[in-house]
Structures are given as C-alpha cells and as structure tokens.
Amino acid sequence: MSKLSDNLSGNGTQYTPPHGAYPALVIDGQGGSLTRAAIISVFTNKNAQAITQEQLQLIARDLGDTNTRRINAVAKVESAGGGWFDSGLPKILYERHKYWGFIALAKRIRLWFAYPSAGDYTTDANKNDINDSWEKLSLAACKDPIAAFMSVSIGKFQVMGQWYKQCGFDHPIEMLWAARNDEYAHYKMLRDYILKVANLQAAFLKISSNPENCRDFARGYNGPAYVKYDYHTKIAKEMR
C-alpha cells in the first residue's frame, strides 16, 4: 500500500514513478490517500452488464420456481432502484459496528469507520464528493481489508460481505468485485442468501398476491421492521 510522500510518518522507501508522474508513492505498508483513491477508482464501472431474461429464469429455477414473477416482485420491492450509484460504483452501505465486531480487540479504536454501535449512515457528510460508505470502506481497508469488505452490504439486494463464502467467493473483496461487473452477480447473491444464509426458499415460493402469504419472506429478509415498511403488502402488490 502507499501514501503521499508529504504524509509519510516513519521510514519508508520512496518510489519515483515513470515519466515524472506526481505525487510520488511511498512504499511503507500503510494506506494513504493514493491507496484509498485507487480502491475507489478500480471499483468504478459505468458499463456493467444488465441481467438477461435467460439469466433471470436461471435464478428463478435455482430457487425452485417455474417462472420469474416472484423474483421480479422481490427485486422491485427490495432493490431500491438498482445496484449502482450514478458514479458507477456498486451500491454499498458501510456498517461501522460490523467492522468493530470483526477486527481484533487490540485494533478497536473509535473512528469514523469503526464504532461499537450502528449508525452514521450519511451520503457525503464532509462534502468531498466521495460517497461516505465508499470512503469509510477505503479507510477501513487500509487497516484490516478482510474485516472492511465483510462490513458492507453489497449491490442491488444489499447482501452483507460477511456472507462471501456462502455466496461462493474465497475473499469478500471478490464478492464486491463481482457486483462491480454485472447485474447477474447481484441476483446470484440474492439467490445464495435465500438458500444458504436465511433459509427462505419455502417462504419465497409461498409469495403470492395475498399479503399474508408474503409475510414469512418479508420477515426473514427484512427482520421485524418489515411491518413498519409494509414490505409484505408491497410484494403482494407487485405480484398482482
């Protein structure tokens, strides 16, 4: 990892970039502004592939369904409009309390991105045109990358990075990288969350135009708050 040379603390080896590029990198094992900017830049993608109808049918089939009506209804209600920000970054929500829980006790210092309780869900509190969840992720990744990438809910369906193994990935960064590249990956994460994490397949297949039949899925996916936000009724409405 690298940091700006004028921010260097301690003894680091300065790397002089070719062709007079500036600022110079300092290879010191610490993450600074260049490292954080690189993390954000590499995940930006304004040309991600949309899911195809054939892929959507595969997702429905994997969930035991015969058509795409249920998965379309769930997507309409639960996806909050899509899987990417206007910047081209995949949607994430950084959970500071998750990071706090994942890191070692010795690393637990209260910071903007590390705190024992949930909260501070801002968009751009410091007015620097960087999405706060992505800024917090980049800061946390410089301290403990595995904990950092496990601490974000990812993509169209906001599946937590902590479930990366259940979603078929070897590292949580791979889960976010998949979400960067195409919409199909977002639906596969939802499928794996339903089947392997929350055990919601039966509740999913129960979904119908009757709100009562949608309660089990809404409760399992959203928790007790599903009633407050009327998720079961919204799903039933989309089924109609």
Side-chain angles (χ1 to χ4, degrees):
M1 290 185 284
S2 62
K3 64 190 295 184
L4 287 173
S5 56
D6 59 355
N7 288 337
L8 178 62
S9 59
N11 295 320
T13 301
Q14 182 164 321
Y15 166 71
T16 303
H19 310 302
Y22 184 84
L25 296 177
V26 175
I27 311 303
D28 60 0
Q30 300 181 50
S33 55
L34 290 182
T35 304
R36 298 194 300 271
I39 291 171
I40 293 171
S41 177
V42 77
F43 278 97
T44 301
N45 181 11
K46 293 189 175 183
N47 298 298
Q49 296 295 312
I51 192 169
T52 67
Q53 186 60 32
E54 290 75 18
Q55 289 171 333
L56 196 60
Q57 289 172 343
L58 286 174
I59 293 293
R61 191 179 310 157
D62 288 345
L63 290 169
D65 212 344
T66 57
N67 58 63
T68 60
R69 288 183 63 210
R70 290 183 180 87
I71 193 64
N72 280 326
V74 168
K76 183 74 174 180
V77 174
E78 302 289 357
S79 67
W84 286 263
F85 294 120
D86 291 341
S87 63
L89 286 166
K91 283 186 178 178
I92 64 170
L93 185 66
Y94 183 84
E95 299 281 8
R96 64 185 189 178
H97 66 294
K98 289 284 189 178
Y99 180 79
W100 183 271
F102 290 140
I103 59 176
L105 289 173
K107 295 182 178 181
R108 289 183 178 173
I109 301 172
R110 296 189 182 200
L111 300 164
W112 188 37
F113 56 88
Y115 206 75
S117 62
D120 195 34
Y121 297 117
T122 56
T123 301
D124 188 12
N126 53 9
K127 307 296 182 184
N128 64 351
D129 295 324
I130 302 173
N131 178 276
D132 286 344
S133 279
W134 272 98
E135 191 167 6
K136 291 173 186 175
L137 173 62
S138 69
L139 287 161
C142 290
K143 300 294 185 182
D144 191 321
I146 294 179
F149 285 97
M150 287 173 61
S151 301
V152 290
S153 54
I154 295 173
K156 190 178 179 80
F157 302 103
Q158 294 292 280
V159 178
M160 286 296 301
Q162 73 182 92
W163 307 121
Y164 69 94
K165 290 182 181 179
Q166 290 85 344
C167 291
F169 300 99
D170 294 326
H171 193 289
I173 197 173
E174 294 177 350
M175 185 171 170
L176 186 54
W177 184 251
R180 170 206 184 269
N181 293 323
D182 66 79
E183 191 179 20
Y184 186 31
H186 296 228
Y187 279 82
K188 288 192 284 187
M189 291 174 200
L190 173 65
R191 174 202 64 195
D192 292 339
Y193 181 80
I194 290 173
L195 294 177
K196 301 176 184 179
V197 178
N199 192 26
L200 288 174
Q201 183 178 20
F204 173 80
L205 294 174
K206 189 179 175 182
I207 289 173
S208 75
S209 57
N210 182 347
E212 293 303 312
N213 291 337
C214 302
R215 283 187 184 274
D216 287 347
F217 183 84
R219 182 186 299 108
Y221 194 82
N222 298 288
Y226 87 93
V227 176
K228 176 181 178 181
Y229 296 103
D230 211 23
Y231 284 121
H232 61 303
T233 301
K234 292 176 181 177
I235 293 174
K237 181 180 177 181
E238 292 302 326
M239 286 295 290
R240 291 195 293 272

